[in-house]
Amino acid sequence: MGNCHTVGPNEALVVSGGCCGSDQKTYVVGGWAWAWWLISDIQRITLEIMTLQPKCEDVETAEGVAITVTGVAQVKVMTERELLGYACEQFLGKTVVEIKSVILQTLEGHLRAILGTLTVEQIYQDRDKFASLVREVAAPDVGRMGIEILSFTIKDVYDKVEYLSSLGKTQTAAVQRDADIGVAEAERDAGIREAECKKEMMDVKFVADTKMADSKRELEMQKASFNQEVNTKKAEAQLAFELQAAKEQQKIRLEEIEIEVVQRKKQITIEEKEIDRTEKELIATVKRPAEAEAYKMEQLAEGHKMKKVLTAQAEAEKIRRIGEAEATSIEAVGKAEAEKMRLKAEAYQQYGDAAKTALVLEALPKIAGKVAAPLSKTNEIVILSGEGSRVTGEVNRLLAELPVSVNALTGVDLTKIPLLQKITGPQCQAAI
């Protein structure tokens, strides 16, 4: 059986021995490790920083001056496995005080050796270089022990024969001398610089005065130029104002003329509208009534005319229809008579022309009586025509159509009868 051992980051745990009798060591930093009872050996070594104060008293320098030097060193055990092994070999099982004592003796030994190779001035004036030299010389030795020198500084350097004090006085006197010389030179330089500054000031003042005078002269010239420009601009502005005023006055006059023209145009328009109104009033009060009266009279005359025309047309239509009715009656009678005559003609077919003429002449009075019978009832015949020869033409047409009607009714051609040829011939018609 065994136990688990833990360790913080400021310590290293060393486990030696194992279950098989091995002598191998295990190093653990900031972790844990397993150890067997009665077999494994557990040891710890510190990794914290250790502060040392090496001191060398009455150590002679290269010039034989005995001085005492104290310093401050910060060291610690290195954690790399190999170097940690070196430290464990040297210090495992020792206390921190014992580890510090070993390292302190090593550092003091190297410090004495280095002091013997340097002068007091080198040690006193350049302590950083001296401390760096000690750290470089001692680092390999302490490194072989697994120790790292983190820092090394010289804390104090002093002696018992007042060498450093004398050295300080000499240095102080030299510094005082240099200071007095510096003050004198500074005062001299200050005087020279003051004179130079005064001269420069006077030069600058002269230049400034000259520039001021030039500036004042230029200012006066600029003022004069500006005044001239201002006066010129004022004159130009006055002329421009007067010119603009004249232009504006002209524009106003043009506007007034345009207004007068517009007023006159409007007056003319009003007068024209008044004339139109008067004319329309006259038309409405005089012309229109006269035209209405004339139109009335015209319409009345046209009405009377149309009345007569329509009356005449009605009477003519009446007569025409009565005539058509009577003509139809006569036609029927004629056809009967014609049939009778045809039968007679067949009976008298053997008669000669004289007998035929006698029969025709015997029938004509009856036909004329029948044709004239409707006319006996007519009081007035109106012929709608403006021509004077129209009546004659109608009569001629009736006479010309009479033989055709007789031929249609009786079958007798009157144009072949000599007597009737004389009656219906062109000469007789012309006489009519």
Side-chain angles (χ1 to χ4, degrees), residues 172-222:
T172 301
V175 170
Q176 185 66 37
R177 181 199 62 202
D178 294 338
D180 294 339
I181 295 172
V183 169
E185 291 178 351
E187 291 178 353
R188 180 199 62 192
D189 294 339
I192 295 171
R193 185 58 183 165
E194 183 179 1
E196 291 177 351
C197 290
K198 287 182 179 180
K199 180 178 180 300
E200 290 177 359
M201 181 186 70
M202 295 302 294
D203 294 339
V204 170
K205 186 174 182 301
F206 176 75
V207 172
D209 293 339
T210 304
K211 288 183 177 180
M212 288 177 62
D214 293 338
S215 299
K216 187 175 181 180
R217 178 173 54 81
E218 290 180 359
L219 178 62
E220 295 297 331
M221 292 177 66
Q222 289 290 336

Side-chain angles (χ1 to χ4, degrees), residues 63-81:
E63 295 176 347
V65 179
I67 61 175
T68 300
V69 177
T70 60
V72 177
Q74 305 291 339
V75 298
K76 68 182 292 293
V77 176
M78 290 185 282
T79 58
E80 293 182 9
R81 183 176 178 80

